[in-house]
């Protein structure tokens, strides 16, 4: 009986972790990165950690049962991600005070003592992307191809614009949202539209749909910047070196690293539940790919310098947090 | 506003119109064929998705874009065949069968992708091939229209050639005659010994193959990989294009180009100063308007003819 | 005659069971190929939903939107209009109720009522559009409704972004609904809310509407034979519009109820798919409102069983899409085991005949 | 007469809805004869022939062709063995040409292409050979009913049919066309073809056929030499009792004007000027017949008077009120009933129950519905009453109409339109394609209505019927009234035929008498 739920944990020396994905794996960035981190963890701590990953799909109404199930199954740590899970977790975590929860990419109510939160300063890595883009473009406009008009994406956008402005205060940014994270053909078309209206280099923040930008770049022989994971490596994997060569760098959001670190701390007993951390360049939770291109074209020093300044707090990058639609529109119009 | 006019004035824009149109045109021709035989195929979306998937997998396995294309065609046709089996043999409602097939395609492609490659969501570890572009050399040699019509993927040319092949097939061959007869009055076809079921099977398989070509274009031409749900509703758009285009392949082509134009325009969202949500609506609004204009034109043609006759009739009476 | 009906009815049950059985067999094969724990997986799939009260609650929760869109599609299809607008109507209904929930301060009892009524009205209005395009300009309903769904989605996002969006939210979402706007939960230990009762009421009312009122009669006649309806003096134009509005109202209502019953804010980032599900339910129910609960239960059970399976075993959630498809197709297959059925009809009819003869 | 060419033995067919259409039937025909198959509506004639043609599968029974057992799993098999069938309903594709319809399934080819030229030549040759005149290049949607019937027969001949099944080929033909057809059928017989001929018109059977087989309720009653039995005998055998088609009616006592058609001109949806300055009137208690070859404006008169089409020019008044701008419901509320020509298209919703079909006239009347709910008790009572009163053969009023035979479906329509005792009724082909028993019944009911003061506008292709029932009569030709007769009993079918075909026309003055 009870085969429809994992057996309760009996041994105490194995840390049982579950990752609930409110969506599906295969995004090649966010959730996949989490998976990679966990896989690394299991490899490094063989026999000490067990990890189960559950995909809950995209239907919001299925997430609550998933979280309750996991909460009742006796895991040592229950990991969820994104703002979309936050309110659910705030609802459910207090009902299971003996459980430990980790939520990433958003901050849960700090009054809940069994939840550890971490957010990523994606605006910081986007700042680097913006700086590179503006340097490359000179007086030409740069592009931003977002998946959807949502906070995380706009946080990238804000950082990107600021980074670009730090190089060229008059920079012009062409901004499009695909409206979808899957339709890479559409992503390609929109990226092409940007390139054709003069954009010298584009930054895609749109999951798989954003990969269309790389294809577009190859078509017009212009440059692109990837996101989340190393997209240059991805294209080399696919055997598409020509395309890979056009990816100047990628802005990294190291979800996997941060989760690895958090679970490690949990096992050491150093993770403080009830706390929230904002992880940025300083913590190595976001970053950039120091690609051959960056080195060859002599941007490495400039970017590294920016990294140091941001990590040290000498440069404070703005965030999209709390901006209204109107404020965002104003911001976007200002760089049109 | 002037920027829109600038955009439309570029050859890149028109090149893009043709590219956006290609997958939709394939599927719309598929819809045309199945509709003509009296069987509606709303599993085009599923056919496209499976074919996009098959093209990538087989081209990677066999290291040949052409084998990938062949696989895509076969798989597209197979989905049509399954729809035919469910709807014509098992007598499951054809719309329900198609919805189920679309559901199966959405989950099944991702599932199988994982099984065959370990990839989830996108075929990153498959070293797949793309189909070649044709006449790239000519693009710069012919002024104005050269850059628009040359240098497209081979399947784009196939799509436009298929328009005429389909026309020939439907209106000039015995098989086309039977197809139209079955669609218009299947009892009549049945009574002269034509197997209605066989014709409808053939039509659904053909329409699946057409959609399959569209799918192959998506993953082996448009972009060079498969990603989950990458057809993103193009199979449904094709139904609309077919409805807009009436019963002729040429009409279907014009309607597909019309939609392609609207989508290409909407891709220049960054250049158009209205909220992006409205820009994204453009292709769909165009489609509905096109549909209404086409359908009402047909209606008013009849009305006008009647009006004329009536006037003639009453005036001649006055003269008597 | 009675005997014949009994035998046929029994056969229909056996047939459905056999179809489900065969579909599960196919599902099992697929699971067997890819899973290390196929028995557990199958058990989770089939028995999961009744293994815990909370899981059964999940089935009921999922049934609520399916009941509404299933009814909506049944009514619209009954008038022979292949209007797929329930997808868009559900979406804008959900948005409408969110608007009422977040932008108006109303007393607790009234707030959700206003919210879902507004949702229904918006649904009714949008559902009318494809019908008008058809009646006025002869534009294909299926196609125009498909396109309109996309347009409604983008309109909805515009409205959300500029009027309802919570800038503090980490995602494209509305402000949080006040408690006064939310629907009451009715089954402790589950999320089943009062919407279920509304849905059951809707099933009864729509059944009565379709089969016991003259408007339902008109809709059915128009659907079965428009020329006949016109000839009989029915205002076909009005009947079609009314039927589509009733359908749209139901779908919109469903969207509003789903939103205020299951969500704390409006969060859809794409069309939620309940309109398509409604088509599945309606076709399974043969457009009969009385059978819609059966279809909705079936589909909800299938989905929840699949969820539990993919959560608790190693069967991937995508495989579930295939399994669902197979089950739906086989259950709705009219010709599945039709040889046997025709044989029964033949035998019984002949038996009737000889009985009559002997009586003489 | 030759030896037995075809025999069907022990045929039993049960439809998926449980209807036993054929029960252990044996039936045979001889080489070179014209063999009639007659029987009431729903007797199973068409079903038996569809089995012979491979369109339906029988559960039991065997077919022997020239004493060899054959199985016809589909029409292709039957066609290959020289069996051809002309169906009760047209099996043509309207948007294709005559030639394309002709060769469908056996198309001539030139390379990959369909060879239109050869197809047209083949059609022309065949039509010459059998002297059936058709235009190979004409679209089927543009040709007359009579020509369509010819195309159907040619289609069968084209496929090499030696045995030709004709399922009610004359139901839609004029007397002249029928005569022409018979000449050609006799010619075919001389050429060695064997013909099975189904008809409800017993005089035709007498005139054309050698032998006949009578069917009743799914079985055969017997086979007879046509010369041995009279029309009365056949009717009696078919129905099981004596049938009297002559109706007694009292002399006319017309009352006030009910219908005024004033100078109506109309262009139909094909752009044809279908009515030209048509004027006539109709009074209480009289029957005005309309005769004419199909397609000469009768349909348009019916459509305009019933409100199915909008009046373009001129006016129509019912009980003194113009119906311009009135809906069909308004016109019905003036006390109008309508028995439509095409009962399956307009007359019924075939998948719905008898009950749902008989209530469609009065469903919104306060007798049958209150503000919200329908009054099911009253509706049930009405349906049950009509089933009894109008002798509708069905298990009960909840049975779907499509399970009834043609004649009984017509009775459903008639019951609904007659029970309200209308002031004005339009009867359009009220007895087309139904059996003698049903015809007798409907004609009697119609005359009874007239006696109660109903004004009846009767359109019928059955000249016998028009002459028999009408008090006054107009003849339509090319959208105009070609003749008006004050007393319909004083003319012959032949004379009528001359006006119908446009060979004769009355003076304007004579025609003017149609308005009184
Ligand atoms: N009982 C019936 N009532 C009304 N129409 C029917 C009935 N049976 C069949 N038809 C019509 O005839 C068509 C052909 O039906 P049929 O079941 O013979 O199809 P088929 O293609 O020959 O399939 P199969 O080979 O499985 O019998 C149907 O699509 C339907 O419209
Ligand atoms: N496809 C069908 N499905 C079910 N029942 C049918 C079908 N076709 C005919 N029937 C029924 O079978 C019986 C015999 O019908 P059939 O058409 O053979 O009669 P018929 O003698 O040709 O009558 P008619 O003179 O009206 O043409 C009728 O009761 C009819 O309702
Ligand atoms: Mg018949
Ligand atoms: Mg069959």
């Amino acid at each position: 009986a009870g085969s429809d739920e994992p057996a309760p944990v009996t041994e105490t020396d194995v840390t049982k972790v579950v990752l609930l994905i409110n969506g599906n794996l295969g995004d090649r960035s966010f959730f996949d990165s989490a998976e990679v981190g966990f896989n690394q963890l299991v490899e490094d701590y063989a026999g000490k950690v067990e990890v189960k990953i559950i995909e809950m799909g995209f239907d919001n109404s299925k997430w609550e049962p998933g979280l309750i199930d996991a909460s009742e199954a006796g895991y040592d740590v229950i990991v969820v991600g994104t703002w979309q899970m936050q309110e659910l977790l705030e609802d459910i975590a207090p009902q299971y005070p003996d459980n430990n929860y980790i939520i990433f990419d958003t901050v849960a109510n700090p009054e809940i003592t069994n939840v550890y939160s971490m957010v990523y300063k994606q605006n910081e890595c986007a700042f680097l992307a913006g700086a590179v883009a503006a340097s490359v473009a000179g007086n030409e406009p740069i592009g931003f191809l977002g998946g959807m008009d949502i906070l995380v994406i706009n946080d990238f956008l804000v950082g990107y614009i600021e980074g670009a402005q730090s190089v060229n205060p008059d920079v012009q940014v062409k901004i499009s949202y695909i409206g979808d994270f899957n339709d890479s053909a559409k992503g390609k078309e929109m990226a092409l539209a940007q390139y054709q209206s003069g954009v010298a280099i584009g930054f895609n923040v749109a999951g798989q749909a954003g990969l269309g930008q790389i294809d577009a770049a190859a078509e017009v022989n212009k440059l692109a910047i990837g996101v989340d994971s190393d997209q240059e490596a991805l294209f080399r994997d696919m055997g598409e070196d020509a395309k890979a060569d056009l990816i100047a760098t990628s802005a990294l959001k190291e979800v996997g690293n941060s989760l690895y670190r958090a679970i490690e701390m949990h096992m050491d007993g150093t993770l403080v539940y009830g706390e929230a951390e904002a992880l940025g360049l300083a913590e190595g939770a976001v970053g950039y790919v120091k690609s051959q291109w960056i080195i060859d074209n002599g941007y490495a020093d400039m970017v590294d310098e920016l990294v140091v300044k941001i990590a040290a707090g000498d440069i404070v990058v703005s965030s999209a947090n709390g901006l209204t639609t109107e404020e965002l529109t104003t911001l976007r119009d200002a760089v049109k | 506003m002037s920027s829109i006019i600038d955009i439309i004035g570029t050859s890149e824009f028109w090149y893009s119109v043709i590219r956006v149109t290609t997958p939709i045109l394939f599927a719309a021709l598929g819809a045309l064929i199945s509709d003509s035989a009296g069987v509606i195929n709303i599993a085009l979306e599923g056919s496209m998705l499976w074919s996009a998937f098959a093209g990538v997998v087989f081209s990677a396995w066999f290291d040949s874009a052409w084998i990938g294309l062949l696989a895509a065609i076969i798989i597209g046709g197979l989905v049509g065949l399954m729809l035919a089996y469910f709807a014509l043999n098992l007598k499951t409602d054809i719309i329900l069968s198609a919805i189920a097939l679309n559901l199966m395609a959405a989950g099944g492609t991702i599932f199988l992708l994982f099984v065959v490659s370990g990839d989830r969501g996108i075929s990153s570890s498959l070293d797949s091939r793309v189909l070649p572009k044709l006449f790239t050399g000519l693009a710069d040699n012919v002024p104005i229209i050269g850059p628009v019509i040359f240098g497209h993927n081979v399947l784009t040319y196939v799509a436009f050639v298929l328009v005429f092949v389909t026309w020939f097939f439907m209106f000039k061959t015995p098989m086309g005659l039977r197809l139209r007869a079955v669609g218009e009055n299947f009892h009549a076809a049945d009574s002269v010994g034509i197997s209605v079921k066989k014709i409808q099977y053939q039509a659904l398989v053909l329409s699946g193959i057409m959609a399959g070509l569209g799918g192959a274009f998506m993953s082996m031409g448009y972009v060079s990989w498969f990603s989950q749900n990458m057809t993103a509703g193009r199979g449904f758009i094709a139904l609309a294009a077919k409805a807009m285009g009436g019963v002729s392949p040429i009409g279907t082509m014009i309607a597909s180009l019309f939609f392609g134009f609207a989508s290409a325009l909407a891709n220049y969202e960054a250049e158009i100063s209205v909220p992006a949500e409205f820009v994204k609506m453009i292709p769909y609004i165009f489609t509905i308007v096109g549909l209404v204009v086409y359908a009402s034109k047909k209606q008013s043609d009849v009305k006008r003819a009647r009006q004329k006759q009536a006037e003639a009739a009453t005036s001649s009476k006055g003269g008597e | 005659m009675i005997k014949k009906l009994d035998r046929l009815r029994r056969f229909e049950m056996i047939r459905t069971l056999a179809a489900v059985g065969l579909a599960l067999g196919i599902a099992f094969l697929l699971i067997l190929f890819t899973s290390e724990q196929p028995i557990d997986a199958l058990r989770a799939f089939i028995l999961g939903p009744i293994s815990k009260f909370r899981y059964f609650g999940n089935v009921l929760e999922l049934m609520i939107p399916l009941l509404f869109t299933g009814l909506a599609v049944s009514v619209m299809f009954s008038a022979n209009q292949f209007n797929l607008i329930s997808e868009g109507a559900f979406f804008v209904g959900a948005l409408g109720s969110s608007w009422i929930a977040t932008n108006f301060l109303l007393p607790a009892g009234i707030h959700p009522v206003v919210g879902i009524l507004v949702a229904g009205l918006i649904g009714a209005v949008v559902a009318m559009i494809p019908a008008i395009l058809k009646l006025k300009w002869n534009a294909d309903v299926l196609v125009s409704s498909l396109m309109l769904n996309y347009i409604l989605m983008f309109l909805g996002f515009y409205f959300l972004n500029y009027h309802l969006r919570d800038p503090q939210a980490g995602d494209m979402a509305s402000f949080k609904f006040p408690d006064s706007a939310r629907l009451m939960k009715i089954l402790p230990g589950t999320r089943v809310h009062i919407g279920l009762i509304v849905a059951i009421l809707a099933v009864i009312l729509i059944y009565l509407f379709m089969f016991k009122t003259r408007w339902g009669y008109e809709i059915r006649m128009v659907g079965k034979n428009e020329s006949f309806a016109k000839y009989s003096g029915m205002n076909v134009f009005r009947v079609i519009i009314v039927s589509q509005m009733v359908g749209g109202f139901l779908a919109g209502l469903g969207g509003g109820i789903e939103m205020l019953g299951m969500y704390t804010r409006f969060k859809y980032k794409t069309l939620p798919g309940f309109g398509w599900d409604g088509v599945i339910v309606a076709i399974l129910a043969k457009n009969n409102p009385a059978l819609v609960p059966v279809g909705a239960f079936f589909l909800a059970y299938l989905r929840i069983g699949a969820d539990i399976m993919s959560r608790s075993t190693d069967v991937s959630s995508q495989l579930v899409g295939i399994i669902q498809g197979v089950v739906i197709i086989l259950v709705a297959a009219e010709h599945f085991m039709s040889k046997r059925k025709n044989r029964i009809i033949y035998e019984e009819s002949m038996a009737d005949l000889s009985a009559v003869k002997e009586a003489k | 007469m030759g030896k037995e060419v075809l025999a069907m033995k022990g045929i039993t067919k049960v439809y998926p809805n449980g209807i036993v259409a054929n029960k252990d039937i044996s039936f045979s025909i001889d080489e070179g004869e014209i063999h009639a198959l007659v029987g009431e509506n729903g007797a199973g004639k068409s079903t038996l022939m569809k089995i012979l043609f491979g369109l339906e599968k029988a559960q039991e029974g065997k077919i022997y062709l020239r004493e060899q057992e054959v199985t016809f799993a589909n029409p292709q098999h039957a066609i290959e063995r020289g069996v051809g069938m002309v169906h009760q309903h047209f099996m043509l594709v309207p948007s294709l040409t005559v030639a394309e319809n002709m060769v469908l399934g056996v198309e001539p080819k030139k390379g990959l292409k369909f060879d239109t030229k050869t197809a047209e030549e083949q059609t022309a040759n065949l039509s010459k050979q059998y002297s059936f005149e058709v235009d190979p290049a004409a679209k089927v949607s543009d040709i007359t009913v009579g020509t369509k019937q010819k195309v159907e027969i040619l289609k069968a001949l084209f496929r090499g049919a030696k045995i030709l099944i004709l399922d009610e080929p004359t139901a839609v033909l004029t007397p002249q066309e029928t005569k022409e057809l018979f000449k050609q059928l006799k010619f075919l017989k001389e050429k060695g073809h064997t013909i099975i001929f189904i008809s409800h018109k017993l005089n035709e059977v007498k005139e054309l056929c050698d032998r006949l087989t009578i069917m009743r309720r799914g079985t055969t009653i017997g086979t007879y030499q046509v010369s041995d039995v009279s029309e009365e005998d056949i009717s009696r055998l078919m129905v099981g009792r004596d049938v009297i088609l002559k109706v007694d009616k009292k002399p006319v006592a017309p009352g006030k004007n009910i219908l005024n058609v004033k100078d109506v001109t109309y262009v139909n949806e094909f752009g044809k000027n279908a009515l030209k300055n048509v004027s006539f009137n109709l009074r209480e208690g009289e029957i005005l017949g309309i005769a004419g070859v199909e397609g000469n404006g009768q349909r348009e008169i019916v459509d305009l008077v019933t409100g199915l089409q909008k009046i373009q020019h001129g006016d129509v008044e019912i009980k003194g009120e113009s119906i311009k701008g009135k809906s069909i419901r308004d016109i019905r509320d003036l006390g109008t009933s309508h028995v439509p020509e095409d009962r399956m298209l307009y007359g019924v919703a075939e998948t719905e129950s008898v009950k749902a079909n008989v209530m469609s006239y009065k469903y919104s009347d306060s007798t049958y519905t209150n503000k919200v709910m329908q009054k099911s008790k009253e509706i049930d009572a009405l349906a049950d009453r009509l089933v009894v009163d109008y002798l509708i053969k069905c298990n009960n009023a909840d049975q779907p109409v499509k399970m009834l035979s043609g004649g009984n479906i017509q009775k459903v329509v008639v019951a609904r339109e007659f029970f309200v005792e209308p002031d004005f009724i339009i009867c359009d082909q009220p007895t087309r394609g139904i059996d003698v028993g049903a015809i007798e019944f409907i004609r009697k009911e119609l005359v009874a209505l007239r006696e109660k003061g109903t004004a009846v506008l009767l359109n019928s292709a059955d000249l016998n019927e028009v002459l028999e029932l009408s008090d006054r009569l107009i003849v339509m030709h090319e959208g105009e009234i070609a003749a008006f007769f004050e007393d319909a009993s004083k003319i012959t079918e032949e004379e009528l035929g001359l006006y119908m075909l446009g060979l004769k026309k009355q003076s304007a003055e004579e025609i003017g008498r149609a308005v009184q």
Side-chain angles (χ1 to χ4, degrees), chain C residues 71-83:
Chain C
L71 281 178
V73 175
S74 304
V75 175
M76 295 197 278
F77 279 20
S78 288
N80 200 24
Q81 304 298 311
F82 280 96
N83 194 342

Side-chain angles (χ1 to χ4, degrees), chain A residues 300-333:
Chain A
D301 294 344
M302 175 198 84
V303 181
D304 282 338
E305 200 174 307
L306 286 175
V307 171
V308 172
K309 280 189 182 161
I310 294 170
D314 295 343
I315 297 178
V316 178
V317 184
S318 310
S319 166
N321 244 317
L323 293 186
T324 62
T325 306
E326 285 78 12
E327 286 165 341
L328 268 168
T329 310
T330 315
L331 181 67
R332 287 190 284 245
D333 287 345

Side-chain angles (χ1 to χ4, degrees), chain A residues 6-58:
Chain A
V9 184
T10 44
E11 319 102 293
T12 42
D13 50 337
V14 176
T15 306
K16 294 209 162 201
V17 181
V18 63
L19 168 65
L20 294 175
I21 292 181
N22 50 322
N24 286 114
L25 284 172
D27 59 2
R28 260 281 155 174
S29 59
F30 194 70
F31 289 127
D32 282 6
S33 164
E35 189 192 22
V36 170
F38 278 129
N39 288 345
Q40 192 61 45
L41 189 73
V42 172
E43 210 178 296
D44 294 352
Y45 289 90
K48 292 209 170 149
V49 181
E50 268 178 29
V51 174
K52 177 155 175 68
I53 298 179
I54 295 175
E55 296 168 89
M56 299 189 295
F58 291 100

